[in-house]
Amino acid sequence: MPVVWIPSLLRSLTGGQEKVSVSGETVGQVIEALEQRYPGLRARLFQGDRLRPDLSLVVDGDMSVRGLLQVVKEDSEVRFIPAIRGGS
Amino acid sequence: MPTKVPVSAWVNETPVTFACEPRQSLLEVLRDELSLTGTKLACDGGNCGACTVLLDGLPVNSCLVLAVEIEGKRVTTIEGIAPADGLHILQQKFLEHTALQCGICTPGFIVSAKALLDHYPNPTEQQVRHWLAGNLCRCTGYDKIVRAVLDAAASLRGVQSGRSAVKEP
Amino acid sequence: MSDPKHSLVNDPKHSSADNQGGLFHVIGTRPIRPGDTTKVTGQAIYGIDVNLPDMLYGAVLRSPHAHARILSIDTRQAQALEGVRAVITAADLPDLSAKISAEGEWGAELRYQNDNILARDKVLYYGHAVAAVSATNPHIAAEALKSIRVAYEVLPPVLDVQRAMAAQAPILHLDLRTDELGLRGDRPTNVASHMQTLQGDPQRGFEQAAIIVEREFHTSAVHQGYLEPHNATALWAANGEITIWCSTQGSFSARDSTAEVLNIPAARIRVLPQEVGGGFGGKNRIYLEPVAALLSRKSGHKPVKLVMSHPEVLAASGPASASWIRVKMGVDRDGKITAAAVNLAYAAGAFPGSTVGVAMGTILGHYRIANLQIDGYDVVTNTPWSASYRALGATNAAFTSESVVDELCEKLGMDPIEFRLLNGVRTGDPRSNGQPFARIGFMETLETARQHPHYTTPLSGPYQGRGVAAGYWGNAGGRSSATASINPDGSVNLVTGSVDITGTRMTLAMQLAETLGITAEDVQASVGDTAMIAFADGSWGSRTTFSTGWAVYELGQNLIHLMCQRAAEHFQVPAEQVRFDDGIFTVGEQKLAFKELAAQLNAHVPLMASATVNPGGAGPAFGVHIVDVEVDPETGQVKVLRYTTVQDVGKAIHPAYVEGQMQGGVAQGIGWALNEEYIYDEAGRMLNASFLDYRIPTCADLPAIDAVIVEVPNPGHPYGVRGVGEMSIVPPPAALANAIHAATGLRLAVLPMSPARILEAYEANPIS
């Protein structure tokens, strides 16, 4: 199952868990599965129906711009890191 | 509206007559009335040297000179530095040494450096750094500017500098 | 003044970076940029030089208060003055409230942008724009400002981060709540957000430490200090099309931000980027463009030119954030870092959005630290809206962490380069995003610094000291565009969407020339305006030579592919008998150089190619700086005797430009370290808003700066480019602080380390 690294500020929702394994074939499905297990988590990651613009999605070490549609594999690692904005 | 005053002077060896308001700076008249925008507007307060021109051969911040003050005098701007058939040796050395990045300070540096070399053909590095301390550059850290000026001085004296750093294309 | 003994030590001719007839034909050489010729003759046109027929001049009225409610604005008297054409206030901006509320709490960003352009209900800093006029000449415009009557209710200002975070602080935005990754605070605050990075178990890591150093630092706001003031000339034509000539680092971001503020489609605005007289991050944001456009429309569709004065530039644009930083680090007996904990609070200025997030990623990014906690706070204050400045947020952060590292080295009795060789990141180590570092050159950079004669030459007098500091900068990718058209003679016109602020027209032309097997002189590179070329992000993040270089490389490949196809058709040769190797097209039996083939094909059907990219693979940069200083104990003056900067730049495309970037960053870093600061009175009025009082280094303040290029090519780029420009500003304040300590025994925890601060420190710690 894909592994999601939980940002430290959200670990109060996961009982302190740093890494959580949940099923899903896309990042959207993975977040749905997380929400089932830890209600409230989705809202913290979302702006409206998308990922927050100040978070970068990193899957298997690569920055993704596909957001919730990004495909994940059985052994994928999913991270949400603060986005470095373009210096405006 | 203030009355305009007629002024006659030489700008880059050409006699010019213009009418200006007494409150207008030389910088403003050069740029806006005579279309000589090579003299750059930056701080407009005498702090940065970007607007340096030669007034009767001496460098001045043209933002601090009133246009009416140049009556009967000779002004040399960056547009009057190069010979008709090419570049002044300082301009050439600034290019060879990559002594500019954004280039907004470059005309002021070249005019100041020309005055330096007119007065001191064989300056030391310290003299160059002191003479040019009234010209600010935020891009280069001055290193390559100082090299370019020293190299230009050597060339003007006919000395082989041994530091012609540019690989010819 | 520089010490003549160490003058001009780095003859560029002998730089290691020059291509010694190796892999490349063009890359690594030092051709002269044709466009520079117009810069040395004064013929280059910058934004300030734009003059249009029948042009009007604008001026902006700015707030004399740091924090006040606007009760009323009366413009009638100004409007009636002879020569005045239009007066505008925030009431002339389109009402975006519907759009803002539709975006919920995220709509706030749009509101901040608009409120910074022209204040609506409150002024939030000294110099905040309130109204603007257009007139037939700049003097009339300036006089007209005096006739605008603004009634203010003055409010208490809060000027520094620490006070803004305190419980009883005046509140700038009554609706602001602290965001902690989606959790909103329940009361009004100046803390816009709290971010956190947590790895391992810091508490356990500190328990394992033999030595712990914990220090607190304060750094002042500093300005980017470009010489060309912000300016914009706009024509809002009667048909609704807007043309803007301006000084910007990003023509597309300038267009799109202006479109947002004016609430019109982006395609109706054409931004013509002019030569830029310095940016350093400060010309990413718009200030004047929509104002000039609105004035143009209201002045009967005449062009209007707006130019800030330098006092306006300093008081109302930029600066880089002031900060309050606490760093705690522990090491074991061998000098290995066991844990670190960092608190960073950055002043965002009037609106949220400081660079604290970037600082969190860079402050210790060059060390292997298993147990690490970093907390970042973005804090609003009654100062101008902070902007990015070269290596945004990293310099003041590195000042603090590299000062603490120096103290650890002192306590360990360990050589500072040895410490970094032991603890520094290496190829394959994990980054904070989980991705392992691809090939990086921190170790090579450290080894080069250790072997440099500067590091081994003894100091020569009392009150002298040597300091070392390292720095890390991630560099950026981002969206880029490029197109090339081939001329009948086979020469090439290259146009990119990237504004050239540092010489990138040359470095891009060189990469295309390398790809096509022609000379740099065969490629004429230009910056496209927003109607001519596809979208590109602005020139920030040291990204242009890397990312736009990728676009140029791809367009080169596309062009070669197209030419092979066309050559097969033209010469009636099977496609498999056409190929391109090392600058030569083989077409059946024939061998043709690029220019020959291009000229022949172009005679039938013109050739052009384009590419747009958004590459990953940006390569992080590492730098090590060595500086010698002499401190005058009587005056507190710090004289910089010798400076050496060593940096892994990836492959240096044009080594002279690379050296210039490294030297320029050092000079700015020295200014940040020793002189530059924003000084306010208690009411929040800026007291030093000129380059006389805000003193940037002159050439009499600096020595020769030895730029040592280390080349560890970035595997994420076809020519190994990493990005150069920003890294060099990161270590100087830390290197200077460490040198001052070596010279005096004093550890300064404040920037700038001005003579007054050095004397204060002496008084607090008299030397024996």
Side-chain angles (χ1 to χ4, degrees), chain B residues 23 40 102 125 142-144, chain C residues 7 46 49 143 659 697 705:
Chain B
R23 65 183 169 185
K40 295 305 176 193
C102 87
E125 183 192 343
Y142 305 103
D143 187 286
K144 290 177 185 294
Chain C
S7 297
Y46 295 77
D49 299 325
E143 276 167 21
E659 290 157 4
I705 299 165

Side-chain angles (χ1 to χ4, degrees), chain B residues 119-163:
Chain B
H119 289 82
Y120 302 99
N122 189 12
T124 63
E125 183 192 343
Q126 296 214 354
Q127 272 176 308
V128 173
R129 288 185 181 274
H130 270 305
W131 186 279
L132 297 178
N135 291 80
L136 297 179
C137 170
R138 192 59 157 173
C139 293
T140 64
Y142 305 103
D143 187 286
K144 290 177 185 294
I145 293 176
V146 174
R147 287 173 203 274
V149 173
L150 288 171
D151 195 10
S155 292
L156 283 170
R157 296 193 311 273
V159 179
Q160 185 61 37
S161 72
R163 209 189 286 119

Side-chain angles (χ1 to χ4, degrees), chain C residues 413-724:
Chain C
M414 194 166 180
D415 173 87
I417 291 183
E418 202 61 53
F419 180 92
R420 289 166 175 94
L421 284 165
L422 177 68
N423 288 291
V425 287
R426 295 163 185 253
T427 304
D429 283 349
R431 308 172 70 159
S432 58
N433 64 6
Q435 186 180 17
F437 277 110
R439 184 76 172 88
I440 50 172
F442 191 26
M443 294 300 124
E444 288 84 347
T445 307
L446 286 162
E447 287 292 357
T448 305
R450 181 156 70 170
Q451 286 157 24
H452 193 280
H454 185 170
Y455 199 57
T456 49
T457 307
L459 294 161
S460 59
Y463 301 109
Q464 291 188 2
R466 176 166 298 152
V468 171
Y472 164 69
W473 182 249
N475 290 323
R479 297 163 288 181
S480 283
S481 60
T483 180
S485 34
I486 316 305
N487 300 308
D489 62 359
S491 64
V492 180
N493 283 104
L494 169 66
V495 180
T496 74
S498 294
V499 171
D500 179 359
I501 54 171
T502 56
T504 49
R505 271 166 295 191
M506 180 49 105
T507 56
L508 295 171
M510 288 173 74
Q511 292 183 67
L512 184 56
E514 189 71 51
T515 310
L516 299 178
I518 53 182
T519 69
E521 290 69 23
D522 291 328
V523 181
Q524 181 69 38
S526 312
V527 178
D529 71 56
T530 58
M532 280 168 59
I533 181 82
F535 180 94
D537 284 315
S539 295
W540 41 254
S542 300
R543 65 171 222 89
T544 305
T545 301
F546 169 76
S547 225
T548 314
W550 252 117
V552 161
Y553 173 79
E554 282 211 4
L555 101 76
Q557 297 300 327
N558 294 344
L559 184 60
I560 290 165
H561 182 70
L562 175 70
M563 286 171 70
C564 286
Q565 265 183 350
R566 294 255 178 102
E569 289 163 21
H570 182 72
F571 293 103
Q572 304 279 298
V573 170
E576 58 274 15
Q577 287 178 30
V578 182
R579 42 174 228 279
F580 177 80
D581 300 299
D582 203 25
I584 300 291
F585 287 90
T586 305
V587 185
E589 304 294 301
Q590 288 192 81
K591 293 208 181 292
L592 294 136
F594 173 87
K595 284 174 83 171
E596 284 175 275
L597 180 62
Q600 289 199 40
L601 296 176
N602 220 33
H604 297 282
V605 184
L607 291 165
M608 68 164 291
S610 302
T612 56
V613 299
N614 187 358
F622 298 85
V624 180
H625 290 202
I626 310 165
V627 61
D628 295 350
V629 300
E630 186 172 283
V631 181
D632 183 336
E634 299 293 321
T635 64
Q637 183 80 30
V638 175
K639 188 162 126 186
V640 183
L641 301 175
R642 183 173 183 180
Y643 206 106
T644 302
T645 160
V646 185
Q647 183 176 329
D648 171 24
V649 304
K651 180 64 202 162
I653 300 295
H654 191 303
Y657 288 0
V658 169
E659 290 157 4
Q661 286 298 313
M662 291 167 68
Q663 292 165 333
V666 166
Q668 288 184 316
I670 291 173
W672 195 331
L674 299 180
N675 294 318
E676 298 179 28
E677 65 181 312
Y678 270 57
I679 302 171
Y680 291 102
D681 69 11
E682 281 182 8
R685 284 182 292 257
M686 187 177 176
L687 298 178
N688 61 334
S690 80
F691 278 165
L692 187 63
D693 300 314
Y694 181 94
R695 199 172 172 287
I696 72 174
T698 73
C699 64
D701 299 319
L702 300 177
I705 299 165
D706 191 2
V708 181
I709 294 173
V710 174
E711 291 190 298
V712 177
N714 172 20
H717 186 274
Y719 296 123
V721 170
R722 286 189 189 275
V724 172

